[in-house]
Amino acid sequence: MNLSAPFICEFFRDAQEKVLPYADYIFGNETEARIFSKVRGWETENVEEIALKISQLPLASGKQKRIAVITQGADPVVVAEDGKVKTFPVILLPKEKLVDTNGAGDAFVGGFLSQLVQGKSIEDCVKAGCYAANVIIQQSGCTYPEKPDFN
């Protein structure tokens, strides 16, 4: 599940609350995470603390674990899992190569999931997510070059 946008966290909290117990993975960016925290009265803006709290929200199954993944633009990606928080560096991009950030979050999630379905590690999932986001922010609009070069 993706937190989607700050206004979703603010104005559709009841709907979010109904589906959250069924989400094993929750993605968002730092702004969405902070709004999510605020509307729940968590009294923290620390992204690592918020990711940890999201990862510990109850699951309907009660058996599986939840993983929270929060992107932060040029700052490290935060992943909370099993009561622990890890950070992963992003691929830094010179400012002159930045064209358009629209779709960066969706590209990140797509890259992440492309590795998750192959049984790869969380680190590999984050690397693929960062690669996909890095490629898309160098394009105008939500487009990819004809042949990506992810390995």
Side-chain angles (χ1 to χ4, degrees):
M1 179 177 156
N2 198 315
L3 296 178
S4 302
F7 79 92
I8 298 289
C9 298
E10 283 183 291
F11 301 112
F12 296 96
R13 179 182 174 175
D14 291 343
Q16 255 187 346
E17 293 292 330
K18 289 178 184 173
V19 297
L20 281 171
Y22 303 97
D24 296 330
Y25 289 82
I26 298 179
F27 297 90
N29 65 36
E30 76 279 17
T31 304
E32 295 159 351
R34 287 183 177 121
I35 295 296
F36 188 91
S37 173
K38 180 181 174 186
V39 301
R40 281 158 181 75
W42 288 350
E43 297 182 7
T44 183
E45 290 201 356
N46 180 291
V47 173
E48 292 184 20
E49 287 178 31
I50 296 167
L52 188 60
K53 286 178 177 273
I54 291 172
S55 74
Q56 294 171 337
L57 290 170
L59 278 162
S61 69
K63 295 179 182 176
Q64 289 182 280
K65 62 183 176 180
R66 172 178 291 119
I67 297 175
V69 182
I70 308 297
T71 60
Q72 304 185 94
D75 292 330
V77 176
V78 175
V79 177
E81 170 183 23
D82 291 331
K84 298 180 186 105
V85 176
K86 292 182 183 176
T87 59
F88 299 89
V90 299
I91 302 166
L92 296 178
L93 184 71
K95 287 185 181 182
E96 62 272 7
K97 287 191 171 190
L98 177 64
V99 176
D100 185 354
T101 60
N102 284 317
D106 293 328
F108 176 89
V109 173
F112 186 101
L113 294 176
S114 77
Q115 300 306 293
L116 183 68
V117 299
Q118 295 181 65
K120 301 287 178 100
S121 69
I122 292 297
E123 182 177 1
D124 287 341
C125 292
V126 172
K127 282 182 185 176
C130 288
Y131 167 81
N134 183 275
V135 170
I136 205 158
I137 64 176
Q138 294 181 65
Q139 314 294 316
S140 181
C142 297
T143 59
Y144 268 89
E146 208 170 299
K147 186 165 178 156
D149 61 358
F150 179 71
N151 294 315

